[in-house]
Amino acid sequence: MNYPPLYLRKNSERTVRNGHPWIFSGAVDRRPKDADTGDVVDVFDSNQRFVCRGFYNKRSLIRVRSLTQDASCPIDSAFFEQRIAQAVEYRRSTDLASVTNAMRLVHGESDGLPGLIVDDYAGYLSIQLHTAGMEQQRQVVLDALHTVLSPKSIFERSDVGTRRAEGLKDRPTGLLAGEEPPEFVEIEEHGVRLHADLYRGQKTGFFLDQRDNRFLLQRLAGGKKVLNLFSYSSGFSAHALKGGASHTLDVDISQQVMLSARRNLTANCPAESKAELLVADIFPFIDELADRGPRYDIVVIDPPSLLRKHNQLKQAMGVYTKLNRNAFRLVADGGLLVTASCSARVSQDDFFQIVRRAASGARVRTRILTYNQHSADHPVDPAFPDGRYLKCIFARINR
Ligand code: SAH
């Protein structure tokens, strides 16, 4: 076990010792001589004491991503097998398997595997490698997934922008091992039949992180008229229809998502209900619709991250506030707004502030029924707040 050493500046080791997995470039005193991007390095403090072992990247602001603080732990196939097995065991300790056959099995840093995402859709794995370190360990990781999980197949969806910050190119998507997944993989979530599009869908094919919030909507939607904005493959409306919603309208800008959306709606729509789909840019659409006054019992609004860089926070909060103000204006008296933000940089406090300002701008009184984060298969390491990204509020409205 001989990994190139990297030395930190004085007093730069505390957050990593406390469990945060990232070391930024400013904390590094001397760059390692014999290490290249993607290699494993040993990190020492200014007193030459071992701090951690992790992936090195000389191009990224995140210079090291810690894998272990145990100096006697080699980064080899046994390491990856053990970490993956631990992550799977954690999911088994929840009730997830009794409510769904689709879940995130490995959630990057939060499972001690920086840059690795593994989603399981009924035995078909869809994976992403986000970091140069994980990319270098590709074969070891794939072998470990086979050993621990014996999946039907492993499909890759590393066509993600975050790879660029690591100096990596997008990879072509496709099958890495096993049988070709079907065009739409059928999955189930709280009694709702859904379809994941591993080939062309966003992320790994489906947004698993909103599962609990979709299910809560299912239980509140009986007899209601629902508007679902930024609807992707219509997961929220499929749940609402299952729960007895009388009418749903889903709006998304992507023509591509409509194939899976149509399937998900049809599979769950009772004969007496009506499910509509619309391709539109929501920003102008909602401006115009909101001017026509309240017309829905429930409005769901789940936009993509509206913020990429730190310095855009103020601007992004303005955009979120305007969207939510318009959404509030569309909810009938006594109705419900379900609003989410998936940007880690928008904190819980920021999000409450957005909702408060939006309600005030729309002149409605509002009470928050629940405040949720992502489902349990997207666990949070309290030492890694960056992993706490999804916020979802269910707010009751009175005029
Ligand atoms: N609520 C969904 C996930 C939404 S992801 C679920 O539970 O599965 C965000 C969606 O917003 C994506 O499908 C994307 O195509 C869509 N989107 C992004 N910009 C948009 C815009 N300007 N107008 C409408 N939809 C947009």
Side-chain angles (χ1 to χ4, degrees):
M1 219 177 357
N2 195 5
Y3 299 103
L6 175 149
Y7 295 92
L8 297 179
R9 285 177 205 265
K10 209 169 169 212
N11 299 329
S12 296
E13 66 280 3
R14 206 169 48 126
T15 51
V16 183
R17 284 237 160 88
N18 287 341
H20 197 291
W22 293 349
I23 296 172
F24 289 94
S25 55
V28 176
D29 183 20
R30 271 171 282 153
R31 62 153 56 180
K33 278 200 218 83
D34 309 321
D36 210 343
T37 288
D39 290 348
V40 175
V41 293
D42 276 353
V43 176
F44 295 89
D45 67 14
S46 56
N47 294 319
Q48 328 279 306
R49 279 180 308 220
F50 179 82
V51 178
C52 70
R53 179 165 294 147
F55 290 143
Y56 176 64
N57 190 327
K58 63 183 176 198
R59 309 169 73 154
S60 166
L61 271 181
I62 304 174
R63 214 34 69 91
V64 179
R65 291 176 197 253
S66 169
L67 293 158
T68 180
Q69 293 191 48
D70 177 357
S72 67
C73 172
I75 307 306
D76 55 10
S77 51
F79 169 83
F80 285 100
E81 281 170 24
Q82 194 212 7
R83 283 283 159 95
I84 293 168
Q86 263 172 5
V88 171
E89 192 46 47
Y90 163 75
R91 274 82 181 160
R92 284 207 187 112
S93 74
T94 69
D95 67 343
L96 277 167
S98 67
V99 300
T100 186
N101 60 356
M103 69 185 81
R104 177 153 296 189
L105 295 179
V106 178
H107 187 45
E109 272 81 346
S110 301
D111 282 304
L113 290 165
L116 178 65
I117 299 294
V118 180
D119 287 342
D120 176 5
Y121 297 106
Y124 297 97
L125 301 186
S126 184
I127 71 162
Q128 294 178 329
L129 305 177
H130 286 253
T131 55
M134 248 345 139
E135 189 59 65
Q136 192 165 310
Q137 303 287 335
R138 160 179 293 271
Q139 200 48 54
V140 184
V141 170
L142 293 178
D143 291 345
L145 288 172
H146 269 291
T147 307
V148 180
L149 294 162
S150 312
K152 287 184 197 152
S153 70
I154 304 182
F155 197 86
E156 181 167 16
R157 286 302 307 272
S158 296
D159 46 332
V160 282
T162 43
R163 281 171 63 101
R164 275 165 232 149
E166 284 276 310
L168 296 168
K169 294 201 179 74
D170 284 5
R171 274 183 66 89
T173 64
L175 187 66
L176 298 176
E179 62 184 84
E180 282 283 348
E183 189 182 5
F184 297 98
V185 179
E186 195 173 313
I187 56 173
E188 199 176 309
E189 176 180 282
H190 293 284
V192 176
R193 266 178 60 212
L194 295 163
H195 300 82
D197 181 351
L198 273 53
Y199 293 89
R200 292 145 305 188
Q202 297 179 24
K203 308 272 170 160
T204 63
F206 192 72
F207 287 87
L208 295 164
D209 52 4
Q210 288 280 25
R211 181 189 311 107
D212 296 353
N213 299 317
R214 286 191 285 260
F215 182 45
L216 180 53
L217 178 69
Q218 182 186 142
R219 286 171 280 159
L220 298 171
K224 307 289 189 217
K225 195 174 163 194
V226 179
L227 173 65
N228 181 18
L229 299 169
F230 304 96
S231 50
Y232 183 57
S233 60
S234 296
F236 273 105
S237 286
H239 274 262
L241 290 163
K242 181 80 182 179
S246 61
H247 183 177
T248 59
L249 170 60
D250 284 19
V251 190
D252 199 284
I253 201 165
S254 165
Q255 183 71 52
Q256 182 68 64
V257 306
M258 295 296 151
L259 283 174
S260 35
R262 178 51 64 206
R263 279 173 184 260
N264 291 337
L265 293 171
T266 309
N268 298 285
C269 190
E272 63 279 14
S273 302
K274 192 169 158 201
E276 287 182 292
L277 274 170
L278 179 70
V279 178
D281 181 348
I282 281 161
F283 293 92
F285 172 80
I286 195 176
D287 268 347
E288 202 233 320
L289 194 65
D291 281 344
R292 289 194 251 151
R295 52 194 56 235
Y296 291 94
D297 303 309
I298 301 178
V299 175
V300 180
I301 180 156
D302 183 21
S305 176
L306 298 174
L307 170 151
R308 301 269 167 231
K309 299 197 188 108
H310 240 319
N311 57 7
Q312 294 173 343
L313 179 62
K314 213 171 152 204
Q315 189 196 348
M317 281 187 62
V319 178
Y320 274 118
T321 305
K322 185 169 179 217
L323 267 178
N324 278 280
R325 185 175 66 225
N326 277 332
F328 271 127
R329 289 169 67 201
L330 285 165
V331 181
D333 187 30
L336 196 65
L337 177 71
V338 180
T339 177
S341 160
C342 62
S343 173
R345 300 231 170 89
V346 173
S347 69
Q348 173 179 325
D349 282 351
D350 292 336
F351 195 52
F352 273 87
Q353 202 177 110
I354 288 166
V355 172
R356 178 180 61 73
R357 284 189 190 147
S360 147
R363 297 181 188 287
V364 294
R365 285 193 300 123
T366 184
R367 290 291 178 274
I368 290 171
L369 300 184
T370 61
Y371 168 78
N372 299 324
Q373 57 166 25
H374 15 78
S375 306
D377 50 339
H378 297 61
V380 173
D381 176 350
F384 181 57
D386 315 65
R388 213 174 57 195
Y389 64 99
L390 186 66
K391 299 153 289 292
C392 185
I393 281 176
F394 282 60
R396 183 73 65 197
I397 281 134
N398 288 109
R399 294 186 175 279

